[in-house]
Amino acid sequence: MSNLPSEPEFEQAYKELASTLENSSLFEQHPEYKKALAIAAIPERIIQFRVVWEDDKGQVQVNRGYRVQYNSALGPYKGGLRFHPTVNLSVLKFLGFEQIFKNALTGLNMGGGKGGADFDPKGKSDNEIRKFCVAFMSELGKHIGANTDVPAGDIGVSPREIGWMFGQYKKQTKLWEGVLTGKGGSWGGSFIRPEATGYGTVYYVEEMMKWASGGSDSFAGKKVAISGSGNVAQYAAYKVIELGGTVVSLSDSKGALIATSATGITPEMVEIVAKLKVERKYLADVAETADFGSTTKYVAGARPWLQVGDVDVALPCATQNEVSGEEAEGLVRAKCKFLAEGSNMGCTQEAIDVFEAHRRENGKDAIWYAPGKAANCGGVAVSGLEMAQNSSRIKWSTEEVDAKLKDIMKNCFENGLQTAKTYVTPKEGELPSLVAGSNIAGFTKVAEAMKDQG
């Protein structure tokens, strides 16, 4: 019996990676990597601290703050900060563990980490959120730096919160450096950073489509189901529409918004949803309005996967474990051809098993699944580009950053694809396993660096 407490989210992420490594020829060819996996599974450092702040009534409040500095073999720790009541050590270890290999797949020099607090921004005033950010950074600032650990935003942490934390870090250290990414555009932020995760996921699926069709397929005319309604979902929707696809759903923790007309979810609707989320409200608050009522339906308590009918592409863009085994089977029945995670660990292991079994049994007609560590690495990739711009005291144009993002997503896809062919040889006519290829490609890069550094 283990003496460690149960950490279900982390254990799921670890088993998902370990199982693909064990079911490949990797350990036969490189037996030393077994020990590297055991070492990489343990964070280099975990920082836990209390965050004491004062609400608008003058009452003292306290939350738990964390930073998991997981692996620095490839560069400074890099990964977001999440402010959400569900934050605990298991969630942050899962996110940090995934982040190591996601960052490796970008090709940039970044290690992996994750952090945050069990603070809930919903229902708090701007002043209360600012006070919390200052208190949080007063402790976290002792442990980070531009060449040590570079956090970014995640759920509950927008450029506004990044600004408040950056200001506190600067007061404490007297340093103006690229210690946080996702900064404002006028003071060190990068173009395309807010859009990067959503755009990058769509660019990745474009590469999947091209490869599966021999170069002839695209988003034009495709029906695309998207979950979530935050930053990732919004920009994925915008890019899908720009490329000629039809977005048929968005969702949040209360329910799903399903398109009932051929036009689908329009850019104007996405813009309304974006404003709604800034106000920390729910889709239910606009579902019956004139902008939505005649062309969408709202399904309370549901995710979109079993509500949308036949679709070509599914993009989970909300949170972890948002596609169950039953929903995966529903997407197979709905003739979905491509599923890529815009969220981290968006699919349960049962769902992944459904997708992978269908891939093995149905040749080019199968659903093709791409894991989040590959498909959604665009966000942290542009964070890495922001770090490079900060180090050089320069700012690249939107077009330059977007071109670099496209190249990174293309290289990430091809790396996973070729690695899968090497270590998990597909049968004749079978689509390669992107989950196995991406896991192995990210892991081997980190393991080699760890080995070289002793």
Side-chain angles (χ1 to χ4, degrees):
M1 178 184 268
S2 172
N3 64 336
L4 299 174
S6 174
E7 295 178 332
E9 293 87 359
F10 168 68
E11 289 162 18
Q12 179 185 341
Y14 174 81
K15 288 173 184 173
E16 189 266 317
L17 179 91
S19 65
T20 55
L21 302 183
E22 290 162 357
N23 292 325
S24 73
S25 61
L26 178 68
F27 290 155
E28 293 171 24
Q29 296 181 42
H30 300 280
E32 70 276 14
Y33 283 169
K34 277 192 175 182
K35 182 56 69 175
L37 175 60
I39 295 170
I42 301 173
E44 292 175 11
R45 190 177 299 104
I46 295 176
I47 300 150
Q48 296 180 239
F49 50 93
R50 68 187 180 201
V51 185
V52 181
W53 56 283
E54 190 178 88
D55 66 21
D56 288 343
K57 296 177 181 177
Q59 296 177 339
V60 172
Q61 303 291 339
V62 64
N63 289 93
R64 288 177 173 83
Y66 306 87
R67 186 66 178 171
V68 180
Q69 295 179 332
Y70 225 117
N71 192 296
S72 59
L74 296 179
Y77 307 106
K78 187 83 192 80
L81 297 171
R82 177 174 293 193
F83 292 170
H84 195 272
T86 59
V87 164
N88 58 37
L89 201 50
S90 174
V91 168
L92 294 180
K93 280 182 67 178
F94 127 61
L95 291 168
F97 188 66
E98 288 274 293
Q99 197 78 47
I100 302 167
F101 310 110
K102 179 190 300 188
N103 293 0
L105 288 169
T106 68
L108 302 174
N109 292 323
M110 299 182 291
K114 205 76 178 183
D118 59 358
F119 170 77
D120 189 356
K122 287 184 178 175
K124 307 292 193 301
S125 70
D126 289 354
N127 186 52
E128 288 174 325
I129 296 171
R130 181 187 60 79
K131 284 184 176 179
F132 177 83
C133 288
V134 169
F136 180 82
M137 185 51 74
S138 294
E139 182 59 35
L140 182 65
K142 303 169 187 175
H143 308 285
I144 62 176
N147 295 306
T148 307
D149 184 351
V150 184
D154 193 77
I155 294 172
V157 179
S158 71
R160 180 184 68 167
E161 286 76 23
I162 292 290
W164 287 331
M165 287 189 279
F166 184 86
Q168 179 62 14
Y169 178 85
K170 190 156 60 74
K171 286 176 188 173
Q172 285 184 190
T173 63
K174 303 181 180 64
L175 296 173
W176 198 114
E177 60 180 12
V179 69
L180 290 162
T181 56
K183 297 185 289 298
S186 62
W187 51 277
S190 174
F191 286 123
I192 306 290
R193 179 57 193 94
E195 300 92 334
T197 309
Y199 279 15
T201 302
V202 175
Y203 292 153
Y204 189 97
V205 177
E206 267 197 311
E207 296 301 322
M208 295 170 71
M209 289 177 172
K210 288 175 189 174
W211 192 88
S213 67
S216 63
D217 206 0
S218 71
F219 270 96
K222 296 287 192 297
K223 290 176 68 177
V224 182
I226 297 177
S227 68
S229 50
N231 174 280
V232 181
Q234 291 164 27
Y235 287 112
Y238 281 132
K239 185 56 69 173
V240 166
I241 295 166
E242 179 189 321
L243 296 175
T246 301
V247 175
V248 297
S249 66
L250 293 171
S251 68
D252 61 19
S253 59
K254 301 289 187 181
L257 199 64
I258 311 297
T260 56
S261 75
T263 55
I265 307 288
T266 65
E268 293 76 21
M269 290 176 173
V270 179
E271 190 174 340
I272 292 168
V273 168
K275 291 176 182 174
L276 189 78
K277 291 299 153 180
V278 170
E279 296 166 359
R280 304 190 188 278
K281 294 181 180 177
Y282 295 95
L283 294 178
D285 296 326
V286 296
E288 301 300 325
T289 63
D291 294 303
F292 291 85
S294 61
T295 56
T296 64
K297 66 176 180 179
Y298 179 76
V299 185
R303 295 187 288 237
W305 317 122
L306 301 180
Q307 311 295 327
V308 291
D310 287 359
V311 293
D312 301 294
V313 181
L315 302 177
C317 293
T319 188
Q320 66 264 23
N321 291 332
E322 54 171 317
V323 183
S324 67
E326 178 188 357
E327 288 166 322
E329 290 169 353
L331 285 167
V332 169
R333 288 193 301 273
K335 305 186 180 95
C336 182
K337 291 298 181 190
F338 304 95
L339 185 142
E341 293 175 336
S343 54
N344 295 308
M345 204 166 73
C347 297
T348 64
Q349 188 59 53
E350 292 77 15
I352 296 170
D353 291 344
V354 169
F355 298 141
E356 285 291 276
H358 197 262
R359 179 190 59 79
R360 288 190 295 269
E361 294 162 8
N362 291 273
K364 290 289 178 73
D365 294 324
I367 190 169
W368 205 10
Y369 162 73
K373 64 171 62 69
N376 73 32
C377 74
V380 74
V382 175
S383 281
L385 299 179
E386 182 176 327
M387 291 166 66
Q389 292 169 80
N390 289 169
S391 296
S392 304
R393 297 290 195 269
I394 59 174
K395 190 176 183 70
W396 296 326
S397 69
T398 297
E399 292 74 20
E400 286 178 290
V401 179
D402 196 37
K404 291 177 189 294
L405 172 61
K406 283 183 181 176
D407 283 344
I408 287 169
M409 300 313 298
K410 181 178 181 179
N411 292 337
C412 178
F413 168 76
E414 291 179 348
N415 188 5
L417 186 79
Q418 296 306 322
T419 304
K421 290 181 179 180
T422 301
Y423 293 104
V424 193
T425 308
K427 300 193 297 270
E428 184 69 30
E430 181 181 285
L431 295 165
S433 173
L434 291 175
V435 62
S438 300
N439 281 342
I440 296 166
F443 172 75
T444 53
K445 183 172 182 181
V446 174
E448 278 297 304
M450 292 167 63
K451 180 182 175 184
D452 290 347
Q453 294 167 27

